[in-house]
Amino acid sequence: MNIEDIFNKAREEKRTVLTEIEAKQALTAAGLNCSDTRLAADKAQAAALSEEIGYPVVLKISSVDITHKSDAGGVKVNLKDKAEVEQAYDNIMKSAQAACPDAQIEGVSVQGMARPGIEIIMGMIRDANFGPVVMFGLGGVFVEILKDVSFGVVPIDKNDAAEMIAEIKGKKLLSGYRGQEPADISYLEDMLVKLSDFVDKTPGIAEIDMNPVFAWNDGAVVVDARIILE
Ligand code: ADP
Ligand code: MG
């Protein structure tokens, strides 16, 4: 599906929020490496897709009404076999229905467990003065507590992206702090430029949130994505 089809489907359904799967489809079309994520409408399909993708897998609630999936008990990681997938499916449905009784639930998304890396975030917001800006930061506590993020006004080039990454207070973590695998900085710069290009040539996006992205020494993968349309 191309980006326009994905956006039009949401607009026809009078939605501004894309599902994780739709957001990843759009970002994949924009050249960003996202974990291969598929929709299972029921438990049997979740088990079949897990076999196809290969264990361990991750199941997440898929609902246009639930944007913070973990908060609704809607994410189960590292599922190692069919029994674990079936159990996780039941638990996710039960928790999500309890947390959001009115939510319309499409099923669960199924994806492979990504190789761990440094957790980073990338995104885009609209600034009242500057228009669209792309954002980069370290994930987890760094963004939630320390607000350690940097911004670049769209469009950015690779040098701008390098500056954004260099501005981060915790940037030392990216170069392999205490034996951790260092991040491939040039690859992250390219991702930011691709994100900026995508935003620049695609009208109607209000917000993009890729949280987290796992950064490795030879690339990175987007494991969660959210796009909000205007
Ligand atoms: P939320 O909607 O709560 O932000 P996420 O999709 O970000 O849900 O999932 C919550 C957490 O689960 C992530 O922060 C990440 O640590 C882990 N996770 C999600 N997807 C994967 C994956 N494909 N591989 C490994 N860990 C994952
Ligand atoms: Mg997330």
Side-chain angles (χ1 to χ4, degrees):
M1 249 211 291
N2 67 35
I3 291 167
E4 203 152 303
D5 292 339
I6 297 164
F7 284 18
N8 284 339
K9 180 171 181 283
R11 288 185 182 118
E12 273 162 26
E13 293 171 9
K14 309 233 177 300
R15 286 190 275 133
T16 53
V17 181
L18 301 190
T19 63
E20 176 196 8
I21 291 176
E22 291 168 332
K24 284 177 170 173
Q25 282 170 341
L27 292 166
T28 300
L32 293 153
N33 182 38
C34 299
S35 53
D36 176 14
T37 306
R38 306 192 217 160
L39 181 69
D42 57 33
K43 199 184 345 184
Q45 222 177 345
L49 282 178
S50 300
E51 295 285 333
E52 220 174 285
I53 289 168
Y55 298 105
V57 297
V58 179
L59 257 54
K60 303 182 193 177
I61 190 73
S62 183
S63 165
V64 294
D65 301 311
I66 303 176
T67 44
H68 296 282
K69 301 176 289 296
S70 314
D71 291 351
V75 179
K76 299 283 175 209
V77 302
N78 207 21
L79 307 170
K80 292 185 220 57
D81 55 35
K82 188 174 175 210
E84 287 191 14
V85 165
E86 289 176 343
Q87 179 73 59
Y89 183 93
D90 289 339
N91 289 341
I92 286 173
M93 287 300 161
K94 216 170 122 196
S95 308
Q97 275 155 3
C100 311
D102 299 327
Q104 181 197 319
I105 293 169
E106 289 95 56
V108 297
S109 74
V110 185
Q111 63 197 283
M113 201 52 201
R115 176 156 74 85
I118 302 170
E119 280 197 28
I120 60 172
I121 58 160
M122 288 187 191
M124 169 268 184
I125 53 167
R126 280 183 187 274
D127 180 88
N129 297 311
F130 297 113
V133 294
V134 287
M135 185 186 75
F136 176 84
L138 290 167
V141 294
F142 291 94
V143 62
E144 279 157 27
I145 296 166
L146 305 173
K147 310 278 181 242
D148 188 11
V149 291
S150 61
F151 297 93
V153 178
V154 172
I156 62 161
D157 62 18
K158 201 163 153 105
N159 287 324
D160 301 324
E163 272 175 34
M164 282 175 68
I165 295 173
E167 273 170 32
I168 293 291
K169 293 188 206 76
K171 64 169 181 271
K172 254 191 159 169
L173 272 179
L174 297 173
S175 48
Y177 184 69
R178 294 210 169 148
Q180 238 200 350
E181 176 178 334
D184 181 346
I185 305 281
S186 175
Y187 188 92
L188 299 179
E189 291 166 4
D190 289 339
M191 283 179 76
L192 284 169
V193 173
K194 283 178 187 168
L195 177 64
S196 165
D197 288 347
F198 171 52
V199 168
D200 201 26
K201 65 174 203 287
T202 314
I205 304 175
E207 208 178 304
I208 300 176
D209 186 25
M210 295 186 261
N211 180 9
V213 175
F214 288 175
W216 305 314
N217 65 8
D218 60 349
V221 65
V222 178
V223 303
D224 184 29
R226 184 153 39 237
I227 294 181
I228 299 175
L229 302 179
E230 288 182 305

